[in-house]
């Protein structure tokens, strides 16, 4: 009985190993790793495997996402080679650059508000909620009337929501005007509270 159990166990292990090294098994493993990775999980990447050669096709927004997808595929067991047929979407690259410019400007803050806001929003036709948020935050930090205040900025479908507490009604109005005057903003919901 024990020999039969060992024989069955060895067969199951052999079948599992063969499936994992099979082309469909490799494709499944690569897709699972791509889906779990923070850099590439949200992107549509098709994975095809033939004789251990993985072909990645689709569009990713940044070169970092493409490079990470290739790295993941190459590191998967059973992969002998990776064919890169991924396209980097230029709009994603523009947005990434715009957001980086906004972050750099926020660090300097002094006198950079208008330039950084315009750079983030005007870097391309594709203005994202993230770039609008970054531009508004940068402009708020650069404005001497509201720079030291803790104002949360959230953007959804180009509608900016401001939350937090300010000392005066004038600061509330100024923050709302700054957000409203940022390129790409369609509407501002000013939920700032006046008080200490």
């Amino acid at each position: 009985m024990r020999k039969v159990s060992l024989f069955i166990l060895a067969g199951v292990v052999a079948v599992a190993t063969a499936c994992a090294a099979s082309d469909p098994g490799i494709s499944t493993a690569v897709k699972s790793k791509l889906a779990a990775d923070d850099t590439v999980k949200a992107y549509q990447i098709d994975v095809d495997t033939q004789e251990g050669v993985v072909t990645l096709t689709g569009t990713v927004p940044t070169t970092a996402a493409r490079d990470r997808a290739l790295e993941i595929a190459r590191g998967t067991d059973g992969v002998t080679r990776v064919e890169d047929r991924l396209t980097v979407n230029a709009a994603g690259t523009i947005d990434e650059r715009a957001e980086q410019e906004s972050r750099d400007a926020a660090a300097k803050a002094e006198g950079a508000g208008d330039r950084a806001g315009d750079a983030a929003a005007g870097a391309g036709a594709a203005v994202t909620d993230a770039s609008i948020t970054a531009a508004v935050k940068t402009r708020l930090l650069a404005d001497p009337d509201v720079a030291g205040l803790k104002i949360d900025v959230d953007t959804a479908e180009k509608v900016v929501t401001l939350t937090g507490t300010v000392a005066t009604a004038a600061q509330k109005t100024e923050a709302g005007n700054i957000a409203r005057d940022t390129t790409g903003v369609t509407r501002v919901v000013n939920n700032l509270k006046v008080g200490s």
Side-chain angles (χ1 to χ4, degrees), residues 149-169:
L149 304 175
K150 292 187 179 182
I151 298 174
D152 291 321
V153 180
D154 293 307
T155 308
E157 297 180 11
K158 300 184 181 182
V159 175
V160 173
T161 302
L162 303 176
T163 55
T165 304
V166 294
T168 67

Side-chain angles (χ1 to χ4, degrees), residues 20-31 34 45-57 69-86:
S22 71
D23 290 341
I26 291 171
S27 290
T28 301
V30 172
K31 286 178 185 178
L34 290 174
I45 299 175
D46 293 322
V47 180
D48 294 312
T49 307
Q50 294 208 347
E51 297 179 14
V53 178
V54 172
T55 303
L56 301 179
T57 55
L70 295 171
E71 178 185 347
I72 288 169
R74 287 184 186 115
T76 302
D77 289 338
V79 174
T80 58
R81 194 173 84 233
V82 176
E83 292 284 329
D84 175 13
R85 294 191 184 155
L86 295 170

Side-chain angles (χ1 to χ4, degrees), residues 176-188:
N177 290 338
I178 289 170
R180 196 170 294 105
D181 292 339
T182 302
T183 304
V185 175
T186 58
R187 189 164 60 94
V188 175

Side-chain angles (χ1 to χ4, degrees), residues 75 90 154 172 190:
D154 293 307
K172 177 179 179 176
N190 193 338

Side-chain angles (χ1 to χ4, degrees), residues 5-20:
S5 295
L6 287 174
F7 181 73
I8 291 172
L9 179 61
V12 169
V13 169
V15 169
T17 303
C19 287

